[in-house]
Amino acid sequence: MATIYTVSQLNNEIKDLLDAVPGYRGLMVQGEISNYKAHSSGHHYMTLKDENAAINAVMFRSDAMRLKFRLQNGMKVIVKARVSSFPRTGAVQLYVSEIIPDGAGALNLAFEQLKAKLQAEGLFSERYKKPIPSCPDSIALVTSPTGAAVRDMIRILGRRWPLAKVVLYPAQVQGQGAAESIARAIALANAIGEADVILCGRGGGSMEDLWAFNEEVTARAIFASEIPVISAVGHEPDFTIADFVADLRAPTPSGAAELAVPDRAECALNLRTLNARLYTAAHRRAEQQRKLLDGLQERLSNRTPMKYIEEKRLLLTQTEERLLSAVPARLETEHNRLNGLRQRLLTAGQSGLHRCKLRFAQTVATLDAMSPLRVLGRGYAVATKGAKHTVVTDAAALKQGDTLHIQFAKGAADCRVTDIEEDK
């Protein structure tokens, strides 16, 4: 008689059968991710498919934490997984422990994904790059305290610029938790705030060895630093994410030390050169000023106050002599002109007096000829009447009994009118 199973019994037996197959415990399965979902619990759910089939897969949080890149739909991958079933539904699925990008290394893919993300956010932009101080007083080293890189940097800094104070902020630069250790050291250097520049890096190694400098936490710590950061990772041919975010990238830790400080030998040579140029310029300037001073002194000797006074005194004497010479001549000229005017006045006066006498005689003769007395002398008389001696020219103005005053050429008489004869 056939055995009767409950659904739960059957699903559990299927699971036990699948789990018992040794070849199903470490399968490598190639496919394309679809229906991908990252759950808030940290588990990742997806479907792996090819042209003809599909199978569900899950990657638990503990395994997903080791992923170096982000999963996404359409990504071709190779997964390491075991085949089993989920007893509650009986669904056969893959339980994934590792995922490798198909055609590209996981680290390379993670690098390109993070690079694109941070670049889109502007963390690589030049406008956020802080200038590196030319002569720092204090330098912070964020690196491993036991590696060769820290010894090289301290040696080069001491040789090139011993005036700077070098402070080591120890950090783990490789392995699990290295990125967080680097970020904490950078934050500590900023919190203390005495450093003028931070050198952050390590010596060379494989991509896996340098991976702490490709982590997002390291990149954001560098970007958030208020102190300028020089990336000092020893991988000259390639770049890390830290190189793109840092304010300045050096090819090696030794190169970072050389970029961080000036060379005292070069500075001394520059100072000597500048000192020589300054001396030459000062000597040339002094010569120019000396010549200018000699010229001014010579001009001043020709224009001393006493010499100026002597010149003005000589000018005054010459002016005085000209005045003394000019006054008699001017007086003589004016005297002669005055005499000429007097002579002309006398001549003009005599001529005018004669003309006046002649005019006066003519006027007198005219007046004499027109004088009433001259008329009276020819036998005429003037008759007037009344107290006002009104001249009577018409007999009609008289009446009998009027008294008239008659003026003759010689003498006068008062008469009374007895008879009046008027012109007909």
Side-chain angles (χ1 to χ4, degrees):
M1 182 177 177
T3 303
I4 300 175
Y5 293 91
T6 65
V7 175
S8 297
Q9 290 174 335
L10 178 60
N11 284 349
N12 286 324
E13 187 165 328
I14 293 172
K15 180 179 184 307
D16 292 338
L17 290 173
L18 292 173
D19 290 342
V21 179
Y24 287 175
R25 296 174 187 171
L27 289 175
M28 302 296 291
V29 182
Q30 183 183 45
E32 179 182 322
I33 295 176
S34 64
N35 300 321
Y36 171 71
K37 181 180 180 181
H39 198 272
S40 60
S41 62
H43 305 325
H44 295 256
Y45 299 93
M46 68 200 80
T47 299
L48 282 183
K49 68 177 184 178
D50 58 18
E51 300 84 16
N52 303 312
I55 187 170
N56 291 331
V58 60
M59 189 176 196
F60 295 128
R61 180 176 180 274
S62 58
D63 295 318
M65 290 177 62
R66 296 195 301 270
L67 282 174
K68 301 296 184 182
F69 58 94
R70 296 190 308 277
L71 300 177
Q72 56 190 23
N73 289 322
M75 181 181 290
K76 295 184 181 300
V77 295
I78 298 174
V79 303
K80 183 178 181 180
R82 63 183 176 87
V83 180
S84 186
S85 67
F86 186 50
R88 183 174 298 177
T89 62
V92 176
Q93 62 183 9
L94 298 177
Y95 292 84
V96 179
S97 59
E98 295 181 25
I99 299 180
I100 303 171
D102 188 9
L107 294 182
N108 287 328
L109 180 59
F111 176 87
E112 293 299 333
Q113 287 180 338
L114 182 58
K115 178 183 174 184
K117 175 185 176 182
L118 298 183
Q119 187 170 21
E121 292 182 23
L123 269 67
F124 304 163
S125 175
E126 287 296 325
R127 70 175 181 270
Y128 297 123
K129 304 296 184 187
K130 293 175 284 294
I132 307 300
S134 58
C135 298
D137 294 325
S138 179
I139 301 171
L141 302 182
V142 175
T143 187
S144 170
T146 60
V150 68
R151 294 192 296 272
D152 290 342
M153 287 190 286
I154 292 175
R155 175 177 54 81
I156 292 173
L157 291 172
R159 172 176 56 81
R160 287 176 62 87
W161 197 248
L163 297 177
K165 176 183 178 182
V166 180
V167 180
L168 175 63
Y169 291 84
Q172 180 185 342
V173 295
Q174 183 175 340
Q176 189 71 24
E180 290 76 8
S181 177
I182 294 170
R184 285 194 300 270
I186 293 173
L188 179 60
N190 277 267
I192 295 175
E194 66 175 1
D196 298 316
V197 64
I198 296 174
L199 275 59
C200 178
R202 54 155 290 162
S206 65
M207 191 171 191
E208 289 79 3
D209 295 336
L210 305 178
W211 191 251
F213 296 91
N214 287 321
E215 295 276 7
E216 184 172 354
V217 63
T218 303
R220 295 197 181 278
I222 293 174
F223 184 77
S225 175
E226 296 181 0
I227 302 172
V229 177
I230 299 178
S231 175
V233 184
H235 59 295
E236 185 171 354
D238 303 314
F239 283 80
T240 64
I241 297 297
D243 295 326
F244 292 111
V245 182
D247 300 293
L248 180 65
R249 184 247 181 184
T252 62
S254 299
E258 292 180 355
L259 291 173
V261 295
D263 187 351
R264 63 174 177 175
E266 292 180 2
C267 291
L269 178 60
N270 291 336
L271 285 175
R272 288 193 294 271
T273 302
L274 291 174
N275 185 61
R277 290 172 57 188
L278 180 61
Y279 175 79
T280 302
H283 182 71
R284 186 183 301 113
R285 180 70 172 173
E287 285 297 321
Q288 293 174 349
Q289 295 301 313
R290 186 177 293 109
K291 290 180 181 179
L292 177 61
L293 181 60
D294 291 342
L296 292 174
Q297 197 169 19
E298 183 178 355
R299 290 172 59 188
L300 184 61
S301 63
N302 294 329
R303 292 190 175 274
T304 60
M306 293 305 299
K307 190 160 188 177
Y308 179 79
I309 292 174
E310 287 296 328
E311 291 177 354
K312 295 303 180 182
R313 181 177 293 146
L314 178 60
L315 179 61
L316 180 61
T317 301
Q318 294 174 350
T319 304
E320 185 179 10
E321 290 176 355
R322 288 200 301 270
L323 285 175
L324 292 176
S325 300
V327 167
R330 183 63 179 273
L331 290 175
E332 181 66 22
T333 300
E334 295 299 326
H335 181 70
N336 292 336
R337 191 168 70 85
L338 184 59
N339 288 336
L341 290 173
R342 184 183 295 113
Q343 187 64 34
R344 287 169 60 191
L345 185 59
L346 290 175
T347 303
Q350 291 176 356
S351 175
L353 183 60
H354 178 70
R355 288 196 298 271
C356 287
K357 287 181 178 180
L358 181 58
R359 288 180 181 175
F360 181 72
Q362 292 174 348
T363 302
V364 170
T366 301
L367 291 175
D368 183 60
M370 297 176 64
S371 174
L373 296 177
R374 178 71 69 175
V375 175
L376 294 177
R378 292 198 298 270
Y380 293 99
V382 178
T384 61
K385 71 173 183 176
K388 296 183 178 181
H389 298 287
T390 303
V391 177
V392 179
T393 60
D394 188 354
L398 299 176
K399 62 181 182 292
Q400 291 181 353
D402 285 343
T403 300
L404 298 175
H405 180 78
I406 307 300
Q407 179 67 46
F408 301 101
K410 293 182 180 181
D414 291 326
C415 302
R416 186 176 299 278
V417 176
T418 59
D419 190 21
I420 297 173
E421 292 182 4
E422 296 183 11
D423 293 336
K424 302 300 187 181

